[in-house]
């Protein structure tokens, strides 16, 4: 009986639904036909004008009529070319209007004779075939109704397949998370290197899912969530995929922006649906990438106040509090902006662990390079230890890109294996861009760039706490530099002393000092150096508490630690102004010290600049050989031996010279005759230096 009742109810629902569709189709068809007729009538009214029958006859007698058409009880009149009809109110009707009057029927039998008499030869009564009333009714009403019903039924079927039925618009609230079953991500912890601490925390969570008994026996509870925090490119998303590959449980992956839609309330609905689906297949893992898109704090300081985002965040907080941890649902999230997340989201009980995914150290970079080169055919001269040392400060994404660029470079040069030179050259492509082969600069500009870069390098070589110089080049690159000096540390450093910061500032300003000392001029090539030196000086005064005037008073707070690392000043305006003056004095003092250092070593400055001018690209080892009085052509570069011609790689002879050759300064320090002249152009030299804090 119950089955029969259910069948009857289903049939009644289908019949009622079909009746509703028919009613809608009939109503829309009638409305469409009415609108169509009204539109035709309005169009005809706008392009015609009715006149009296007597006026029509007078126009015929006056020779103003060119042709006449008899249609549907009307006479349509076409005036002769150039005639403009004017009515009693003074309104004019030109050739774009059609004049018409109503027929008089049998009351005027002599109309045709009148038309012939006054020369109107073009008159006609066109034949129009009559359509069957039934066919006309079917075209006007039945066919549109059938088409509308078909469109409605197709729309309902599509929405029903998406889970919405007749109310299918509600399916927009369904979660669109990607579900990975067991190891379908193709990534495991063997594919992740350089993040041992983060892997250890995640391995414990996975072991908890597989063997909950040994943890619950001692009274431990399963963590509800873990937040992955780190700079872009450090491998947060890769770690989450590795968790999916290792866990052997369903893995739901969604981006924070995937909860946000144009409809209010959709985000909260998707959060509910996501946790409902996860509860069905528990134990499982939910991964929310870029959670700051929905987890932003609800105050107004960081752009809060959005109702839709707040509803989504409130629902996420409720769901993370509501599910039973014994079911084995773990929430992973990743962000590089933890400072903007809501405090309620970060508390224990929601995200019990905060896992920092930091930049890898020397051992981590070596392990990362080994992972990314497993499928790369390597030459015998490759020394990954040297590459790891050269890539200080790089994240995992940088190293992966370096290895891939090296493989592409090897193919371009027709080799079947990647050698050491490919890896080093690709690293410089990643940080500085490719060489610009079509740049045209003058000889004078080339000389200024050489002295500018050697000024950086020599200041670093003559200071105790400076990072050693690795490479100096005056070849323009696509990242905007006409040349750069590459500094790489010999050992890992995690702290910077006051002497280290002052040394770095002097090194940055030494390029401008070399321009002033040798050419008695200043160029815009020092713009990037001055920006970085000012940032270091401001940090020394405002953040690090190393200023004698302000002592250990913090004048600012860090913002976006894992992005640009900037900060905002939190002090009075007068204090801010005093801090700016302290920064100016500090920069001027470092500038004077760097200039004095170059004056003391002017002879070496000229020698190294002359060698760089000739080779266009030299290494730090070659510069140190000149300082020590050795042959610079016999030095290697991070494991790349020098060639017979004394170069590390073919000289980049891509700089086009457009002026007469100018002799270089002699070893004794004599300036060229025009050294003090201002160059024709000002080089844009964004000096690239890597610093390790």
């Amino acid at each position: 009986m119950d089955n029969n009742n259910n069948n009857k109810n289903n049939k009644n629902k289908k019949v009622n639904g079909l009746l509703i569709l028919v009613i809608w189709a009939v109503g829309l068809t009638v409305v469409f036909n009415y609108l169509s007729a009204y539109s035709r009538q309005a169009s005809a009214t706008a392009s015609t004008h009715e006149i009296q029958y007597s006026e029509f006859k007078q126009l015929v007698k006056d020779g103003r009529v060119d042709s006449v058409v008899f249609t549907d009880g009307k006479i349509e009149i076409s005036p002769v070319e150039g005639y403009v009809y004017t009515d009693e109110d003074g309104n004019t009707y030109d050739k774009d209007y059609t004049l018409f009057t109503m027929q008089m029927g049998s009351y005027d039998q002599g109309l045709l004779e009148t038309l012939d008499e006054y020369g109107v030869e073009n008159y006609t009564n066109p034949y129009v075939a009559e359509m069957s009333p039934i066919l006309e009714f079917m075209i006007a009403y039945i066919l549109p109704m059938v088409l509308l019903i078909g469109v409605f039924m197709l729309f309902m079927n599509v929405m029903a397949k998406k889970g919405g039925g007749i109310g299918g618009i509600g399916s927009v609230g369904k979660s669109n998370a990607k579900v990975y079953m067991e190891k379908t991500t193709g990534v495991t912890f063997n594919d992740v290197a350089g993040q041992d601490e983060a892997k250890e925390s995640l391995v414990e969570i996975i072991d908890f899912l597989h063997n909950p008994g040994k943890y619950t026996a001692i009274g431990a509870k399963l963590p509800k969530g873990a937040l992955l925090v780190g700079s872009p490119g450090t491998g947060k998303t890769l770690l989450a995929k590795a968790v999916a590959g290792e866990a052997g449980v369903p893995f739901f992956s969604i981006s924070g922006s995937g909860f946000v839609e144009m409809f209010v309330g959709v985000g909260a609905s998707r959060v509910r649906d996501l946790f409902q689906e996860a509860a069905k297949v528990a134990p499982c893992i939910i991964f929310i990438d870029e959670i700051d898109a929905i987890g932003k704090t609800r105050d107004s300081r960081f752009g809060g106040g959005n109702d839709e985002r707040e509803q989504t965040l409130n629902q996420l907080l409720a769901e993370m509090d509501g599910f039973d941890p014994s079911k084995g649902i773990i929430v992973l999230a990743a962000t590089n902006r933890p400072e903007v997340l809501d405090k309620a989201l970060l508390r224990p009980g929601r995200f019990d662990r905060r896992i920092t995914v930091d930049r890898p150290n020397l051992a981590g970079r070596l392990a990362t390079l080994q992972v990314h080169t497993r499928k790369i055919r390597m030459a015998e001269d490759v020394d990954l230890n040297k590459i790891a040392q050269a890539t200080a400060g790089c994240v995992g994404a940088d190293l992966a890109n370096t290895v891939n660029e090296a493989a592409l470079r090897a193919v371009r040069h027709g080799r079947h294996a990647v050698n050491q030179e490919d890896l080093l050259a690709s690293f410089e492509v990643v940080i500085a861009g490719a060489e610009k082969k079509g740049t045209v600069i003058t000889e004078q500009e080339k000389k200024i760039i050489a002295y500018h870069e050697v000024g950086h390098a020599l200041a670093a070589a003559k200071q105790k706490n400076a990072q050693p110089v690795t490479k100096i080049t005056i070849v323009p690159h696509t990242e905007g530099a006409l040349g750069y000096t590459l500094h790489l540390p010999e050992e890992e450093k995690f702290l910077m002393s006051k002497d280290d910061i002052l040394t770095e500032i002097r090194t940055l300003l030494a390029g401008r000092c070399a321009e002033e000392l040798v050419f008695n001029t200043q160029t815009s090539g020092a713009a990037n150096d001055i920006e970085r030196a000012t940032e270091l000086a401001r940090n020394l005064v405002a953040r690090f508490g190393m200023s004698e005037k302000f002592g250990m008073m913090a004048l600012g707070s860090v913002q976006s630690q894992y992005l640009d690392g900037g900060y905002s000043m939190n002090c009075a305006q007068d204090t801010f102004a005093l801090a700016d003056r302290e920064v100016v004095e500090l920069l001027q003092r470092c500038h004077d010290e760097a200039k004095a250092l170059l004056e003391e070593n002017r002879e070496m400055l000229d020698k190294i600049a002359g060698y760089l001018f000739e080779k266009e690209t030299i290494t730090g080892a070659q510069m140190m050989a000149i300082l020590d009085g050795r042959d610079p052509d016999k030095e290697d570069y991070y494991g790349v031996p020098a060639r017979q011609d004394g170069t590390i790689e073919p000289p980049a002879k891509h700089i086009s010279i457009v002026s007469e050759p100018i002799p270089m300064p002699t070893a004794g320090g004599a300036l060229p005759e025009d050294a003090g002249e201002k160059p024709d152009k000002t080089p844009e030299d964004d000096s690239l230096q890597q610093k390790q804090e």
Side-chain angles (χ1 to χ4, degrees), residues 13-36:
K13 289 181 179 179
K14 292 181 179 179
V15 172
N16 292 335
L18 185 59
L19 287 176
I20 292 174
L21 286 180
V22 171
I23 293 172
W24 271 101
V26 171
L28 290 176
T29 301
V30 172
V31 171
F32 288 158
N33 282 322
Y34 173 78
L35 292 177
S36 178

Side-chain angles (χ1 to χ4, degrees), residues 556-570:
S557 58
V558 179
Q559 306 290 338
S560 302
Q561 174 184 357
Y562 297 103
L563 293 177
D564 56 2
Y567 63 96
S568 60
M569 299 294 287
N570 299 326

Side-chain angles (χ1 to χ4, degrees), residues 615-682:
K615 299 293 185 179
E616 296 185 351
T617 299
I618 66 174
T619 66
Q622 289 175 320
M623 183 193 72
M624 296 306 298
I626 296 175
L627 292 176
D628 296 339
R630 295 181 282 109
D631 185 2
D633 293 335
K634 296 182 179 180
E635 301 296 327
D636 68 351
Y637 173 48
Y638 279 91
V640 178
R643 294 192 176 92
Q644 296 297 325
D645 58 359
T647 62
I648 300 303
E649 56 185 13
K653 298 295 184 181
H654 304 315
I655 302 180
S656 303
I657 304 301
V658 297
S659 62
E660 294 297 326
I662 298 177
M664 288 299 296
T666 62
L671 291 173
E673 295 180 359
D674 59 345
E677 295 179 4
K678 191 172 182 180
D680 296 333
K681 296 183 180 179
T682 301

Side-chain angles (χ1 to χ4, degrees), residues 463 498 501-510 513 533 537 540 583-597:
Q463 296 183 90
K498 183 176 181 179
I501 297 175
L502 293 176
T503 298
E504 180 73 12
I505 294 175
R506 284 190 288 267
T507 302
L508 288 168
L509 298 179
C513 294
L540 186 148
V583 170
V584 172
E585 294 174 1
L586 177 62
L587 291 173
Q588 186 60 47
R589 185 167 64 249
C590 289
H591 172 272
D592 296 340
E593 293 171 355
K595 191 171 184 179
L597 179 64

Side-chain angles (χ1 to χ4, degrees), residues 52-125:
Q52 296 181 3
Y53 188 78
S54 58
E55 289 184 280
F56 161 59
K57 294 185 68 176
Q58 187 61 43
L59 288 176
V60 172
K61 295 176 181 179
D62 294 340
R64 304 296 188 184
V65 178
D66 179 61
S67 62
V68 176
V69 178
F70 300 91
T71 59
D72 297 332
K74 293 194 307 183
I75 302 175
E76 295 182 0
I77 308 149
S78 297
V80 297
E81 185 71 23
Y83 174 71
V84 177
Y85 175 78
T86 304
D87 62 11
E88 297 176 354
D89 298 329
N91 299 320
T92 59
Y93 301 91
D94 56 13
K95 61 182 180 180
D96 293 333
Y97 282 84
T98 300
L99 304 178
F100 75 92
T101 185
M102 304 306 296
Q103 290 187 19
M104 296 298 292
S106 59
Y107 297 99
D108 192 353
Q109 298 295 334
L111 177 59
L112 298 182
E113 289 81 359
T114 304
L115 293 177
D116 291 335
E117 180 181 355
Y118 290 97
V120 181
E121 300 178 355
N122 299 321
Y123 56 87
T124 182
N125 184 9

Side-chain angles (χ1 to χ4, degrees), residues 318-351:
E319 292 292 343
M320 293 189 70
D321 264 346
F323 69 80
D324 185 2
S326 62
K327 292 183 178 180
I329 300 177
I330 296 179
V331 180
L332 297 180
T335 183
N336 45 38
R337 301 178 64 198
E339 69 277 355
V340 305
L341 294 180
D342 196 275
K343 302 302 180 184
L345 186 64
L346 298 177
R347 72 163 176 82
R350 292 193 174 108
F351 286 109

Side-chain angles (χ1 to χ4, degrees), residues 245-261:
E246 295 284 349
V249 297
F251 183 87
F252 294 81
S253 176
I254 189 172
S255 172
S257 60
F259 292 106
V260 181
E261 277 285 354

